Amino acid sequence: MLPRIIPVRETILAGAILALLALIASRFAGFVAPSNLANVFNDTSPLIILALGQMVVILTRCIDLSVAANLALTGMAVAMINVAMPGLPIPVIIVIALLLGAAMGAVNGLLVWKLSIPPIVVTLGTMTIFRGIIFLISGGKWVNSHEMSESFTGFPRAEVLGLPLLSWAAIVTVLLFAIMMARTPLGRSIFAVGGNPHAAVYTGINVGRTQFLAFVISGALAGLTGYLWVARYAVAYVDIAGGFELEVVAACVIGGISIAGGVGSVGGAVLGALFLGVVKNALPVVNISPFWQLAISGSAILIAVAFNARAGRKKGRIILKSAEAKS
Amino acid sequence: MTERAASATAPVVSMDAITKTFPGVKALDRVRLDLYPGQVTALVGENGAGKSTTVKILTGIYRPDGGTIRINGDPIVLNTPNDASEAGITAIHQETVLFDELSVAENIFIGHAPRTRWGLIDTAAMHRAARKLLDEIGAPFGTHTQLRELGIASKHLVAIARALSVDARVVIMDEPTAALSHKEIEELYELVETLKSQGKAILFISHKFDEIFRIADRYTVFRDGAFVGDGLIADIDEDALVRMMVGRAVDHIFPQRDPVVGEDVLQVVGYDHPTEFADIGFTLKRGEILGFYGLVGAGRSELMQALFGITRPSKGVTKVNGQIRVIRSPAAAVASGIVYVPEDRGKQGAIIGLPIFQNITLPSLRRTSRSGFLQLAEELRLAREYSERLDLRAASLDQDVGNLSGGNQQKVVIAKWLATQPQVIILDEPTKGIDIGSKAAVHEFMAELASQGLSVIMVSSEIPEVIGMSDRVIVMRDGRIVAEVTGDEMRPETLVRHAAGIAATPQKEEA
């Protein structure tokens, strides 16, 4: 029962990515060399992690526009902690990043749950607030690489089995999400809440609480990514990852996560992120202006949405009993 | 054919050999339907007979694949709802399609408001015209009233006024009485008479036979998307009509039961709510079917929602098997053994997008998981057990519920609740809007549940069902329990009198 009939949407998206790679390879064979593909994956890892967090939020019929601001604030906070206490071990830094991010997600979640404010309004507000707080705590100053400790900036680049830890963070997140969505009551509730919130209430699922938890998950991942991002680029400032939340939402939409909630998969979100990652990394290589990237991402979103709308269209209600027997 | 020749007037609208195919499915197969001026034609058929598709074709929402529609003998093509409205066809839907945020007058004239010389909407003229229309149909509210302030019956009046404003020749009423109280239904009947006297042709769709025989002049029967027959209501009786509808004789007899009523399972004491109900107390015994009767708005559903933890009463105690249970959420209710199958099963029932087995196990996830992880084998076992018990027909339990027929979806919803092994099951209007064949199946099933020791609370507004199924009936009026009747006292007159608050002047009645 587990191996579902191959999910059509994901297969098509994977095909599109492969076709894209083939096209690039025809012009520039070096792009598909394993080492370069590993680089592309590593470069896309933050997007993959955030897209998974965004996915659970979107599945519950919400949206989290504050992820990039959360990432930037957590990144700044841990960078400043590192400057103040260079001896603090990295695992502690990571726990702090997760908790800080989760706390910010919890703020979003509580406002949506307890005050019933529309998620887009809540996260638009907190997005601005988080950016403002970064300015307040940093005084608008940058934290530069020479101020950070070596272990702090070295962690995401440290290689295990030939892959940097940043890539491993994405891989582990994907695996945890695959298990959570398929095999835990929370994962099931997330689908149920998005699929039919009214029915979910009568089933004994607390819709608001489930949405709250989705925001906390999304926030925690944004926090984790905040540390990884700041450490990788070895710099923290007010505007890092500005506008990145839209790329995250785009990855979800391209990956077939229905913006109306209830429909989507871990595989889809990952593929959506990879698609954007490949486009972003390939354009400079084949000498196309990076501004085209925006146009291509935009077109991909529209194509994906149009495609999903077609696929989701009902075949019409089966009325004739004879036809029902045949189907 | 002879009837056609015999009828004095020619039909206003005549659908002939209309066919509509959805991919892979024929929803309508060469059906015909004639509507006559000044007459009410009832369109009768089980769920899925093609009534809604017909309405959608008449109102220009669907385009037929074949056949002709004639208006006063001239063939016409209805490509858009606008075409239909220009042809003088308007519909009053089950859930009235109007705009809550606009005023009554704006709703009546939206799309065809009177204009001033400058092309702007002539507000004064619009309100004058609206007033005139509302007076014609005896609607008491003002034209400036915002629609959302009106109840459903008043909204119907607005919809009818709108129909009159476009000078409709044909008015389609799709289950107009489904959400109305007894008094409101009477008013609607009067209105139908008014429309008839104005020469409108009325297409009336209803599941209620008493209604059809009361106001219809003609009938047309569809079955499984095909035309079965038509004629004058005066020439047919209920039995014959039912036979045409289902293609077999169904005398709807309620299942015979030998209720073995046991100890108290549920005790409700002193339930109060600031606005919905007050002073509610009753007990429910093992294996009993307890009917809750009352007019729409008597507070029955509100009480059930409080029992299920969706709303909170301001005071009151619930005891399950003699133990006090605090029920503050649906989850707590399910844990206490109380489940609630809501009235609006479409909206509140199955979760489309999830496979069948996941729908069934949704309230039982705690039982199907071990140390926080779902056990698929256990889930499938549970789902298989209950889907077999309910004779659910599906290719695979891994199939999306959305691909099931309505009846099978309903089975999934019930299986979901039975899988929680409840002690008390609350069924809110369990047979509302479903056809006679499915009704009998639901009744059989309720009887079976009770015989297995489950206690059933049935909220119903259909008197035959209440009397036929219940061991005991509680009547509510204006948020209070006004009577509890059992045995021979369970007579339609008694229930209606209690529900309507008519002073008990028990007239002798022949059994």
Side-chain angles (χ1 to χ4, degrees), chain A residues 226-248:
Chain A
Y227 160 65
L228 295 171
W229 186 293
V230 165
R232 179 171 186 236
Y233 295 108
V235 64
Y237 54 93
V238 173
D239 288 326
I240 55 166
F244 199 61
E245 61 277 344
L246 295 182
E247 210 168 311
V248 174

PDB file of all heavy atoms in Angstrom, chain A residues 226-248:
ATOM      1  N   GLY A 226      18.813  30.324   9.318  1.00  0.00           N
ATOM      2  CA  GLY A 226      19.431  31.602   9.646  1.00  0.00           C
ATOM      3  C   GLY A 226      20.881  31.421  10.052  1.00  0.00           C
ATOM      4  O   GLY A 226      21.773  32.122   9.549  1.00  0.00           O
ATOM      5  N   TYR A 227      21.117  30.456  10.947  1.00  0.00           N
ATOM      6  CA  TYR A 227      22.506  30.216  11.342  1.00  0.00           C
ATOM      7  C   TYR A 227      23.331  29.762  10.147  1.00  0.00           C
ATOM      8  O   TYR A 227      24.418  30.278   9.870  1.00  0.00           O
ATOM      9  CB  TYR A 227      22.588  29.172  12.474  1.00  0.00           C
ATOM     10  CG  TYR A 227      23.960  28.562  12.563  1.00  0.00           C
ATOM     11  CD1 TYR A 227      25.063  29.358  12.914  1.00  0.00           C
ATOM     12  CD2 TYR A 227      24.188  27.230  12.236  1.00  0.00           C
ATOM     13  CE1 TYR A 227      26.347  28.835  12.936  1.00  0.00           C
ATOM     14  CE2 TYR A 227      25.463  26.700  12.257  1.00  0.00           C
ATOM     15  CZ  TYR A 227      26.547  27.503  12.598  1.00  0.00           C
ATOM     16  OH  TYR A 227      27.815  26.991  12.591  1.00  0.00           O
ATOM     17  N   LEU A 228      22.818  28.732   9.422  1.00  0.00           N
ATOM     18  CA  LEU A 228      23.583  28.155   8.313  1.00  0.00           C
ATOM     19  C   LEU A 228      23.930  29.228   7.276  1.00  0.00           C
ATOM     20  O   LEU A 228      25.038  29.270   6.735  1.00  0.00           O
ATOM     21  CB  LEU A 228      22.775  27.024   7.651  1.00  0.00           C
ATOM     22  CG  LEU A 228      22.512  25.801   8.533  1.00  0.00           C
ATOM     23  CD1 LEU A 228      21.533  24.846   7.864  1.00  0.00           C
ATOM     24  CD2 LEU A 228      23.829  25.080   8.865  1.00  0.00           C
ATOM     25  N   TRP A 229      22.977  30.099   7.015  1.00  0.00           N
ATOM     26  CA  TRP A 229      23.139  31.145   5.990  1.00  0.00           C
ATOM     27  C   TRP A 229      24.239  32.128   6.396  1.00  0.00           C
ATOM     28  O   TRP A 229      25.179  32.385   5.650  1.00  0.00           O
ATOM     29  CB  TRP A 229      21.793  31.863   5.831  1.00  0.00           C
ATOM     30  CG  TRP A 229      21.715  32.877   4.736  1.00  0.00           C
ATOM     31  CD1 TRP A 229      22.387  34.055   4.671  1.00  0.00           C
ATOM     32  CD2 TRP A 229      20.910  32.789   3.566  1.00  0.00           C
ATOM     33  NE1 TRP A 229      22.035  34.730   3.530  1.00  0.00           N
ATOM     34  CE2 TRP A 229      21.122  33.977   2.831  1.00  0.00           C
ATOM     35  CE3 TRP A 229      20.006  31.848   3.076  1.00  0.00           C
ATOM     36  CZ2 TRP A 229      20.473  34.238   1.622  1.00  0.00           C
ATOM     37  CZ3 TRP A 229      19.346  32.108   1.882  1.00  0.00           C
ATOM     38  CH2 TRP A 229      19.597  33.285   1.166  1.00  0.00           C
ATOM     39  N   VAL A 230      24.091  32.637   7.626  1.00  0.00           N
ATOM     40  CA  VAL A 230      25.053  33.628   8.115  1.00  0.00           C
ATOM     41  C   VAL A 230      26.452  33.025   8.197  1.00  0.00           C
ATOM     42  O   VAL A 230      27.451  33.664   7.830  1.00  0.00           O
ATOM     43  CB  VAL A 230      24.590  34.171   9.484  1.00  0.00           C
ATOM     44  CG1 VAL A 230      25.716  34.901  10.192  1.00  0.00           C
ATOM     45  CG2 VAL A 230      23.390  35.080   9.299  1.00  0.00           C
ATOM     46  N   ALA A 231      26.519  31.763   8.658  1.00  0.00           N
ATOM     47  CA  ALA A 231      27.824  31.129   8.778  1.00  0.00           C
ATOM     48  C   ALA A 231      28.434  30.870   7.410  1.00  0.00           C
ATOM     49  O   ALA A 231      29.623  31.050   7.193  1.00  0.00           O
ATOM     50  CB  ALA A 231      27.686  29.818   9.557  1.00  0.00           C
ATOM     51  N   ARG A 232      27.606  30.481   6.459  1.00  0.00           N
ATOM     52  CA  ARG A 232      28.117  30.129   5.136  1.00  0.00           C
ATOM     53  C   ARG A 232      28.662  31.364   4.419  1.00  0.00           C
ATOM     54  O   ARG A 232      29.732  31.339   3.825  1.00  0.00           O
ATOM     55  CB  ARG A 232      26.998  29.512   4.307  1.00  0.00           C
ATOM     56  CG  ARG A 232      27.467  29.147   2.915  1.00  0.00           C
ATOM     57  CD  ARG A 232      26.419  28.347   2.184  1.00  0.00           C
ATOM     58  NE  ARG A 232      26.962  27.900   0.916  1.00  0.00           N
ATOM     59  CZ  ARG A 232      26.402  28.145  -0.262  1.00  0.00           C
ATOM     60  NH1 ARG A 232      25.275  28.832  -0.319  1.00  0.00           N
ATOM     61  NH2 ARG A 232      26.954  27.704  -1.365  1.00  0.00           N
ATOM     62  N   TYR A 233      27.870  32.440   4.475  1.00  0.00           N
ATOM     63  CA  TYR A 233      28.324  33.648   3.789  1.00  0.00           C
ATOM     64  C   TYR A 233      29.213  34.505   4.693  1.00  0.00           C
ATOM     65  O   TYR A 233      29.730  35.530   4.265  1.00  0.00           O
ATOM     66  CB  TYR A 233      27.131  34.455   3.282  1.00  0.00           C
ATOM     67  CG  TYR A 233      26.352  33.719   2.223  1.00  0.00           C
ATOM     68  CD1 TYR A 233      25.096  33.182   2.496  1.00  0.00           C
ATOM     69  CD2 TYR A 233      26.895  33.534   0.955  1.00  0.00           C
ATOM     70  CE1 TYR A 233      24.387  32.484   1.527  1.00  0.00           C
ATOM     71  CE2 TYR A 233      26.193  32.835  -0.019  1.00  0.00           C
ATOM     72  CZ  TYR A 233      24.944  32.320   0.270  1.00  0.00           C
ATOM     73  OH  TYR A 233      24.260  31.623  -0.688  1.00  0.00           O
ATOM     74  N   ALA A 234      29.347  34.088   5.972  1.00  0.00           N
ATOM     75  CA  ALA A 234      30.221  34.759   6.929  1.00  0.00           C
ATOM     76  C   ALA A 234      29.947  36.248   7.046  1.00  0.00           C
ATOM     77  O   ALA A 234      30.853  37.069   7.135  1.00  0.00           O
ATOM     78  CB  ALA A 234      31.690  34.509   6.586  1.00  0.00           C
ATOM     79  N   VAL A 235      28.674  36.592   7.006  1.00  0.00           N
ATOM     80  CA  VAL A 235      28.303  37.978   7.205  1.00  0.00           C
ATOM     81  C   VAL A 235      26.849  38.039   7.672  1.00  0.00           C
ATOM     82  O   VAL A 235      26.042  37.198   7.310  1.00  0.00           O
ATOM     83  CB  VAL A 235      28.502  38.800   5.900  1.00  0.00           C
ATOM     84  CG1 VAL A 235      27.582  38.314   4.802  1.00  0.00           C
ATOM     85  CG2 VAL A 235      28.289  40.285   6.156  1.00  0.00           C
ATOM     86  N   ALA A 236      26.539  38.994   8.543  1.00  0.00           N
ATOM     87  CA  ALA A 236      25.163  39.201   8.983  1.00  0.00           C
ATOM     88  C   ALA A 236      24.856  40.681   8.928  1.00  0.00           C
ATOM     89  O   ALA A 236      25.658  41.497   9.386  1.00  0.00           O
ATOM     90  CB  ALA A 236      24.967  38.675  10.403  1.00  0.00           C
ATOM     91  N   TYR A 237      23.731  41.014   8.286  1.00  0.00           N
ATOM     92  CA  TYR A 237      23.300  42.411   8.262  1.00  0.00           C
ATOM     93  C   TYR A 237      21.788  42.455   8.135  1.00  0.00           C
ATOM     94  O   TYR A 237      21.131  41.410   7.990  1.00  0.00           O
ATOM     95  CB  TYR A 237      23.986  43.183   7.145  1.00  0.00           C
ATOM     96  CG  TYR A 237      23.849  42.575   5.772  1.00  0.00           C
ATOM     97  CD1 TYR A 237      22.825  42.965   4.912  1.00  0.00           C
ATOM     98  CD2 TYR A 237      24.751  41.605   5.330  1.00  0.00           C
ATOM     99  CE1 TYR A 237      22.691  42.403   3.659  1.00  0.00           C
ATOM    100  CE2 TYR A 237      24.617  41.034   4.077  1.00  0.00           C
ATOM    101  CZ  TYR A 237      23.588  41.435   3.242  1.00  0.00           C
ATOM    102  OH  TYR A 237      23.456  40.874   2.002  1.00  0.00           O
ATOM    103  N   VAL A 238      21.221  43.658   8.183  1.00  0.00           N
ATOM    104  CA  VAL A 238      19.759  43.786   8.268  1.00  0.00           C
ATOM    105  C   VAL A 238      19.057  43.112   7.091  1.00  0.00           C
ATOM    106  O   VAL A 238      18.061  42.422   7.267  1.00  0.00           O
ATOM    107  CB  VAL A 238      19.368  45.282   8.340  1.00  0.00           C
ATOM    108  CG1 VAL A 238      17.842  45.433   8.246  1.00  0.00           C
ATOM    109  CG2 VAL A 238      19.868  45.900   9.633  1.00  0.00           C
ATOM    110  N   ASP A 239      19.600  43.278   5.894  1.00  0.00           N
ATOM    111  CA  ASP A 239      18.837  42.901   4.707  1.00  0.00           C
ATOM    112  C   ASP A 239      19.143  41.527   4.137  1.00  0.00           C
ATOM    113  O   ASP A 239      18.769  41.240   3.007  1.00  0.00           O
ATOM    114  CB  ASP A 239      19.051  43.952   3.607  1.00  0.00           C
ATOM    115  CG  ASP A 239      18.337  45.245   3.957  1.00  0.00           C
ATOM    116  OD1 ASP A 239      17.274  45.154   4.580  1.00  0.00           O
ATOM    117  OD2 ASP A 239      18.870  46.320   3.629  1.00  0.00           O
ATOM    118  N   ILE A 240      19.844  40.666   4.893  1.00  0.00           N
ATOM    119  CA  ILE A 240      20.161  39.394   4.254  1.00  0.00           C
ATOM    120  C   ILE A 240      18.876  38.639   3.937  1.00  0.00           C
ATOM    121  O   ILE A 240      17.873  38.730   4.635  1.00  0.00           O
ATOM    122  CB  ILE A 240      21.108  38.480   5.076  1.00  0.00           C
ATOM    123  CG1 ILE A 240      20.566  38.225   6.470  1.00  0.00           C
ATOM    124  CG2 ILE A 240      22.516  38.994   5.102  1.00  0.00           C
ATOM    125  CD1 ILE A 240      21.281  37.087   7.156  1.00  0.00           C
ATOM    126  N   ALA A 241      18.958  37.889   2.846  1.00  0.00           N
ATOM    127  CA  ALA A 241      17.825  37.089   2.367  1.00  0.00           C
ATOM    128  C   ALA A 241      16.582  37.943   2.146  1.00  0.00           C
ATOM    129  O   ALA A 241      15.464  37.472   2.304  1.00  0.00           O
ATOM    130  CB  ALA A 241      17.522  35.939   3.322  1.00  0.00           C
ATOM    131  N   GLY A 242      16.776  39.206   1.787  1.00  0.00           N
ATOM    132  CA  GLY A 242      15.613  40.071   1.522  1.00  0.00           C
ATOM    133  C   GLY A 242      14.827  39.535   0.334  1.00  0.00           C
ATOM    134  O   GLY A 242      15.379  39.226  -0.717  1.00  0.00           O
ATOM    135  N   GLY A 243      13.526  39.396   0.497  1.00  0.00           N
ATOM    136  CA  GLY A 243      12.683  38.901  -0.596  1.00  0.00           C
ATOM    137  C   GLY A 243      12.734  37.399  -0.803  1.00  0.00           C
ATOM    138  O   GLY A 243      12.072  36.865  -1.684  1.00  0.00           O
ATOM    139  N   PHE A 244      13.547  36.714   0.030  1.00  0.00           N
ATOM    140  CA  PHE A 244      13.701  35.276  -0.165  1.00  0.00           C
ATOM    141  C   PHE A 244      12.397  34.521   0.102  1.00  0.00           C
ATOM    142  O   PHE A 244      12.179  33.426  -0.414  1.00  0.00           O
ATOM    143  CB  PHE A 244      14.823  34.749   0.748  1.00  0.00           C
ATOM    144  CG  PHE A 244      15.386  33.420   0.347  1.00  0.00           C
ATOM    145  CD1 PHE A 244      16.007  33.261  -0.886  1.00  0.00           C
ATOM    146  CD2 PHE A 244      15.293  32.323   1.187  1.00  0.00           C
ATOM    147  CE1 PHE A 244      16.536  32.028  -1.258  1.00  0.00           C
ATOM    148  CE2 PHE A 244      15.816  31.089   0.808  1.00  0.00           C
ATOM    149  CZ  PHE A 244      16.442  30.947  -0.424  1.00  0.00           C
ATOM    150  N   GLU A 245      11.505  35.120   0.947  1.00  0.00           N
ATOM    151  CA  GLU A 245      10.249  34.424   1.256  1.00  0.00           C
ATOM    152  C   GLU A 245       9.435  34.127  -0.015  1.00  0.00           C
ATOM    153  O   GLU A 245       8.773  33.101  -0.108  1.00  0.00           O
ATOM    154  CB  GLU A 245       9.396  35.225   2.251  1.00  0.00           C
ATOM    155  CG  GLU A 245       8.940  36.609   1.802  1.00  0.00           C
ATOM    156  CD  GLU A 245      10.007  37.676   2.034  1.00  0.00           C
ATOM    157  OE1 GLU A 245      10.952  37.406   2.799  1.00  0.00           O
ATOM    158  OE2 GLU A 245       9.903  38.758   1.444  1.00  0.00           O
ATOM    159  N   LEU A 246       9.566  35.022  -0.991  1.00  0.00           N
ATOM    160  CA  LEU A 246       8.798  34.793  -2.217  1.00  0.00           C
ATOM    161  C   LEU A 246       9.357  33.607  -2.997  1.00  0.00           C
ATOM    162  O   LEU A 246       8.621  32.832  -3.584  1.00  0.00           O
ATOM    163  CB  LEU A 246       8.790  36.062  -3.080  1.00  0.00           C
ATOM    164  CG  LEU A 246       8.050  37.223  -2.419  1.00  0.00           C
ATOM    165  CD1 LEU A 246       8.027  38.428  -3.335  1.00  0.00           C
ATOM    166  CD2 LEU A 246       6.627  36.813  -2.051  1.00  0.00           C
ATOM    167  N   GLU A 247      10.694  33.472  -2.969  1.00  0.00           N
ATOM    168  CA  GLU A 247      11.301  32.329  -3.640  1.00  0.00           C
ATOM    169  C   GLU A 247      10.846  31.028  -2.970  1.00  0.00           C
ATOM    170  O   GLU A 247      10.606  30.020  -3.627  1.00  0.00           O
ATOM    171  CB  GLU A 247      12.821  32.461  -3.582  1.00  0.00           C
ATOM    172  CG  GLU A 247      13.513  31.825  -4.760  1.00  0.00           C
ATOM    173  CD  GLU A 247      14.983  32.234  -4.827  1.00  0.00           C
ATOM    174  OE1 GLU A 247      15.281  33.443  -4.735  1.00  0.00           O
ATOM    175  OE2 GLU A 247      15.813  31.336  -4.949  1.00  0.00           O
ATOM    176  N   VAL A 248      10.725  31.089  -1.632  1.00  0.00           N
ATOM    177  CA  VAL A 248      10.295  29.902  -0.885  1.00  0.00           C
ATOM    178  C   VAL A 248       8.866  29.520  -1.267  1.00  0.00           C
ATOM    179  O   VAL A 248       8.557  28.359  -1.550  1.00  0.00           O
ATOM    180  CB  VAL A 248      10.385  30.164   0.639  1.00  0.00           C
ATOM    181  CG1 VAL A 248       9.802  29.005   1.421  1.00  0.00           C
ATOM    182  CG2 VAL A 248      11.821  30.412   1.047  1.00  0.00           C
TER     183      VAL A 248
END
